[in-house]
Amino acid sequence: MLLNLLEETRYEKVPVKIYDNDSEASFDVAKRIAAIIKQKQAEGKQAVLGLATGVSPIKVYKELIRLHKEEGLSFKNVVTFNLDEYYPMQPDAEQSYVRFMKEQLFNHVDIDMANVNIPDGTLAEQDIAAFCLAYEQKINSYGGIDVQVLGIGRTGHIGFNEPGSAPNSGTRLVTLNDLTRRDASKDFGGKENVPTKAITMGIGTIFKAREIILLGWSGKKASIIKKAVEGNISPDVPATYLQTSDNVEFVIDQAASVDLTRFDLPWLVKDCVWDDVLIKKAVVWLAKTLNKPILKLTESDYNNNGMAQLATEFGPVYNINISIFNNIQHTITGWPGGKFGADDSQRPERAEPKVKRSIVFSPHPDDDVISMGGTFIRLADQGHEVHVAYQTSGNTAVWDDEMLRYVEFAMDFARSQSQDAAYLDNLYKSMVEFLKTKQPNQSDTEPIRTVKGLIRKGEAIASARLAGLADQRIHFMDLPFYDRGKFQKEVSYEDDIQQTMQLLRDIKPHQIFTAGDFADPHGTHKVCFEIILEAFTRLRNLGESWTKDCWIWLYRGAWHEFEIHEIEMAVPLSPQEVYRKRMAIFKHQSQKDVPVFPGDDAREFWVRAEERTQETARLYNQLGLAEYEAIEAFVRWKFE
């Protein structure tokens, strides 16, 4: 058994413990920390903890609080040293790690705040070097850190040790990487508000800890986890330095593990139990790796690339190639609503009924056309009853000056019609005054949110009309969770679910299209999908007959696409349809050029969308399929 495990993990250069989900992992880590605290208490010593901030440790801290309140775990003998803090940063600021640690842990346990140590973001810059030296000396005075909790950033940073950090670095002032600042932009209301510097423990400081636990959750971290665990040691990915420690363990959930070789490419490390999905994935991988069409793959290609077992068990390989080629070919359809009267046994969608009721759920007011605009247009052109439901107002993603421009227009229009504009004048003045003192990430006033929401609503209507929809089939849900989440940390989704159930009851769709971007577990797309799924599941359990004939299709956003082996429906677009899709995206004028939250990609949304779908078409062609201008891809959601 040990030999088999070593073979499976031979690409991995640090111990990795994988849990089904982040909750289970966090509970286990909290128990490990609690055991250290109790052991030190029994020895009459202080437990020295190195703590991290961010999303990763929140559930660990929540469980530690539970252990304190329900099982009597005391923190009176605990001394803590935090990894880092933004600079400059006031301790009471919303983004301060001092405030974070108090809200997430310290305010809820019996720790002596004199034993809490967090880098000081209020220092004069000339005083930072002396502070950092004293921070190191204080850690040493306690005999070092017993257990250090780490997260990992998408640059591979640990603490704020960005690419280029030295393995022996100590506590110091650093300049933040652009990607790190982009990732923090939502917390600060825009990247321009994110500090450019931070004070951080060094990699050398972290290495002195007697135990190091790195936490990684969600598919968003899968790529960097793979680099940190399997890549060569490099200053370009500071977390790779952890490979040289004997005291480190990566604790991750299944979603964060998917890029590790033993899960992503298991045929390279062990004999596999081959099923249709794994065979398709392996053959597509082989064709892409060798840059060969599927039908040109040979037995030696299989044997030389870790797939000899597949060739032996299911060969000859040409039969495998033919089967996978046909499978992929059958995903291609110009009839996303099904082709009436045609044999649908090899088609992704049903032929009947001839006219389907289709609803496209769009988390934000532009996801529909960005992600599946060509399919949206095709469904309408082919005579289906197409509805679009915009789940949130999207009011967060409108620039303040854009909002003022619309209010100014309303004022000028009122005057041009000889109407009294006094109310608008006063409203405008109050908006300007609010914006003068608006803090980063501060929620807008209700009138400002309303105007921003109306801007997005008008753009969405124009876009949906261009796609061919009648106004009565354009639905604005404005789900309450979206604005409520700006003011409450604990958000209920029951009213969102009830509202979604009612819309589904009214339409009784044969097809539901919904965003399937699950990489970020805290993103709007994920929440919106879960609301739809819960609403649909409840209706299904209530025995509503239409749910038996309703299929759910997932689309992806503008940032990345489904992998070729995952795609179950591929809708090819002509050059003319690509152009119409572009025009529909252009109707969302507030999101053009530079959107408020652009993510990692500097390209405009329409460029991302076109290049993403063109890349999917190129990959299909590379595998030996027909050459198309672009392809939009979908995966069908299947209930267990």
Side-chain angles (χ1 to χ4, degrees), residues 17-178:
K17 194 168 186 178
I18 301 166
Y19 291 80
D20 288 341
N21 54 66
D22 63 333
S23 294
E24 289 184 12
S26 297
F27 295 160
D28 205 14
V29 171
K31 287 178 183 176
R32 291 166 64 177
I33 294 171
I36 291 171
I37 294 172
K38 290 176 182 177
Q39 179 188 339
K40 292 290 184 176
Q41 285 172 346
E43 297 171 355
K45 297 178 181 178
Q46 290 175 307
V48 184
L49 308 182
L51 300 180
T53 53
V55 172
S56 297
I58 286 178
K59 289 185 178 180
V60 175
Y61 298 152
K62 189 173 183 180
E63 176 62 8
L64 287 173
I65 293 168
R66 189 197 68 80
L67 290 171
H68 167 69
K69 291 184 174 181
E70 297 181 12
E71 299 185 20
L73 177 66
S74 175
F75 287 75
K76 288 182 177 178
N77 72 315
V78 173
V79 177
T80 67
F81 289 89
N82 260 72
L83 279 168
D84 45 31
E85 174 63 286
Y86 290 107
Y87 181 82
M89 180 61 61
Q90 293 298 317
D92 58 350
E94 185 177 344
Q95 302 83 4
S96 166
Y97 290 161
V98 174
R99 180 169 175 173
F100 175 95
M101 290 305 306
K102 287 182 177 179
E103 291 179 351
Q104 298 298 331
L105 180 61
F106 299 148
N107 287 349
H108 311 284
V109 296
D110 61 344
I111 194 168
D112 183 348
M113 290 302 293
N115 289 335
V116 168
N117 300 277
I118 301 175
D120 187 350
T122 68
L123 295 168
E125 191 160 348
Q126 64 268 23
D127 296 330
I128 292 177
F131 172 86
C132 291
L133 180 61
Y135 204 73
E136 294 272 341
Q137 292 171 341
K138 193 169 186 180
I139 292 173
N140 293 335
S141 73
Y142 285 101
I145 292 171
D146 292 308
V147 58
Q148 175 66 62
V149 177
L150 299 174
I152 183 170
R154 288 194 298 149
T155 63
H157 70 239
I158 47 177
F160 274 133
N161 292 283
E162 298 283 20
S165 297
N168 61 347
S169 55
T171 304
R172 67 204 187 282
L173 182 68
V174 297
T175 298
L176 298 179
N177 184 280
D178 187 68

Side-chain angles (χ1 to χ4, degrees), residues 106-388:
F106 299 148
N107 287 349
H108 311 284
V109 296
D110 61 344
I111 194 168
D112 183 348
M113 290 302 293
N115 289 335
V116 168
N117 300 277
I118 301 175
D120 187 350
T122 68
L123 295 168
E125 191 160 348
Q126 64 268 23
D127 296 330
I128 292 177
F131 172 86
C132 291
L133 180 61
Y135 204 73
E136 294 272 341
Q137 292 171 341
K138 193 169 186 180
I139 292 173
N140 293 335
S141 73
Y142 285 101
I145 292 171
D146 292 308
V147 58
Q148 175 66 62
V149 177
L150 299 174
I152 183 170
R154 288 194 298 149
T155 63
H157 70 239
I158 47 177
F160 274 133
N161 292 283
E162 298 283 20
S165 297
N168 61 347
S169 55
T171 304
R172 67 204 187 282
L173 182 68
V174 297
T175 298
L176 298 179
N177 184 280
D178 187 68
L179 176 56
T180 300
R181 295 181 67 229
R182 288 206 304 271
D183 282 349
S185 64
K186 191 171 183 180
D187 293 332
F188 284 85
K191 192 186 81 171
E192 68 277 6
N193 299 317
V194 181
T196 59
K197 296 181 179 181
I199 300 172
T200 184
M201 277 191 202
I203 295 173
T205 315
I206 292 168
F207 262 60
K208 294 176 185 176
R210 282 177 278 282
E211 185 178 351
I212 301 169
I213 303 173
L214 185 144
L215 311 177
W217 320 135
S218 86
K220 191 174 181 181
K221 294 294 178 71
S223 174
I224 195 62
I225 290 289
K226 177 182 174 68
K227 290 179 182 178
V229 171
E230 298 185 359
N232 294 326
I233 295 173
S234 168
D236 294 336
V237 183
T240 57
Y241 289 132
L242 295 173
Q243 295 173 15
T244 64
S245 172
D246 295 327
N247 306 316
V248 67
E249 181 176 59
F250 280 50
V251 175
I252 63 177
D253 63 3
Q254 282 192 346
S257 74
V258 295
D259 284 354
L260 295 177
T261 301
R262 58 170 151 150
F263 300 111
D264 186 32
L265 310 171
W267 53 87
L268 296 181
V269 297
K270 63 179 180 180
D271 285 346
C272 298
V273 178
W274 294 99
D275 58 20
D276 292 343
V277 174
L278 191 59
I279 292 172
K280 183 178 180 181
K281 181 177 183 179
V283 173
V284 170
W285 169 82
L286 183 61
K288 289 169 65 177
T289 299
L290 300 180
N291 196 25
K292 294 175 71 171
I294 289 172
L295 296 179
K296 288 188 177 181
L297 295 172
T298 66
E299 189 165 349
S300 63
D301 292 333
Y302 278 64
N303 292 338
N304 294 336
N305 291 278
M307 292 166 55
Q309 182 205 2
L310 176 59
T312 300
E313 291 185 14
F314 293 87
V317 299
Y318 192 68
N319 290 352
I320 302 173
N321 296 345
I322 285 284
S323 175
I324 299 304
F325 179 87
N326 288 339
N327 179 286
I328 296 174
Q329 189 173 51
H330 293 153
T331 66
I332 302 172
T333 180
W335 300 84
K339 187 174 184 181
F340 183 71
D343 177 8
D344 61 8
S345 61
Q346 301 294 337
R347 292 175 178 271
E349 250 296 356
R350 304 146 293 172
E352 295 184 353
K354 181 178 181 179
V355 176
K356 289 188 174 65
R357 292 184 299 277
S358 304
I359 181 168
V360 178
F361 281 101
S362 184
H364 302 98
D366 56 355
D367 289 312
D368 53 338
V369 288
I370 289 173
S371 301
M372 55 168 290
T375 302
F376 191 0
I377 291 167
R378 183 79 61 85
L379 286 166
D381 285 353
Q382 291 175 348
H384 297 286
E385 182 187 315
V386 185
H387 297 255
V388 63

Side-chain angles (χ1 to χ4, degrees), residues 493-519:
Y493 300 101
E494 184 59 30
D495 47 1
D496 307 293
I497 294 166
Q498 292 295 331
Q499 185 178 339
T500 304
M501 288 174 69
Q502 188 56 55
L503 181 63
L504 289 172
R505 278 194 178 109
D506 293 341
I507 297 172
K508 296 180 173 59
H510 300 98
Q511 291 180 309
I512 292 172
F513 291 89
T514 180
D517 305 87
F518 303 149

